[in-house]
Amino acid sequence: MSGELIAFFGLALVAILGGVLLITLTKVVHMVIALVFTFLSIAGIYMLLSAEFVAIVQILIYSGAITIVMLFGIMLTKHQESDEPVKGGWGRFSFLAAIAGFAVAVYLGIYNLDIPVQPTALHEDNTKQIGIELFSKICHSI
């Protein structure tokens, strides 16, 4: 097991945990913090894929700007702090069954996927390649 694989599993676990906490938490500010953990772990996965530019954009735009806009929206709106009744055992069971069903469907979809291998040049000036693609194709079409 390489360090890169361990880092991927750790970041993927944090991303999934943040998404599950986003759905299950009741306080809106706690939901936003769980969303920030998800955004940051996805940026870490981009770093593992050697997409540094996309990772920095993920941190700046999503983890920074979108989260601040959501917090301002929460603070500027009036909302009532009321405790919702706790769901019974069937609500949690159906929620866990839905998550397990989704996980099995994703696993089977990825396991049966056959992608042909094509040689590509990775880890070579990603930001430069993005700039060339943006300014050579998009600017000529305008």
Side-chain angles (χ1 to χ4, degrees):
M1 232 183 179
S2 67
E4 206 171 58
L5 186 64
I6 292 171
F8 172 75
F9 280 132
L11 290 169
L13 183 66
V14 170
I16 292 170
L17 185 65
V20 170
L21 286 175
L22 177 68
I23 294 170
T24 58
L25 290 174
T26 56
K27 303 227 185 261
V28 181
V29 176
H30 295 163
M31 291 176 179
V32 171
I33 292 171
L35 187 65
V36 168
F37 281 122
T38 303
F39 286 154
L40 289 176
S41 62
I42 290 172
I45 292 173
Y46 286 144
M47 290 296 280
L48 288 174
L49 293 171
S50 296
E52 295 88 8
F53 180 76
V54 180
I56 297 300
V57 169
Q58 173 81 19
I59 291 171
L60 289 176
I61 298 207
Y62 286 103
S63 298
I66 300 297
T67 305
I68 296 298
V69 167
M70 290 174 70
L71 282 175
F72 276 127
I74 291 166
M75 286 191 263
L76 293 174
T77 58
K78 292 182 181 181
H79 52 84
Q80 300 293 328
E81 290 288 332
S82 62
D83 293 332
E84 295 180 13
V86 178
K87 293 181 182 177
W90 288 109
R92 287 189 180 181
F93 176 74
S94 62
F95 179 71
L96 291 175
I99 290 175
F102 179 73
V104 167
V106 168
Y107 174 76
L108 291 175
I110 292 173
Y111 184 74
N112 295 329
L113 191 63
D114 185 30
I115 299 175
V117 178
Q118 296 177 351
T120 57
L122 296 176
H123 310 290
E124 296 177 4
D125 297 328
N126 291 329
T127 308
K128 183 178 178 182
Q129 289 176 2
I130 290 171
I132 289 171
E133 288 294 321
L134 281 175
F135 290 117
S136 64
K137 293 182 180 178
I138 293 177
C139 290
H140 292 296
S141 65
I142 293 178

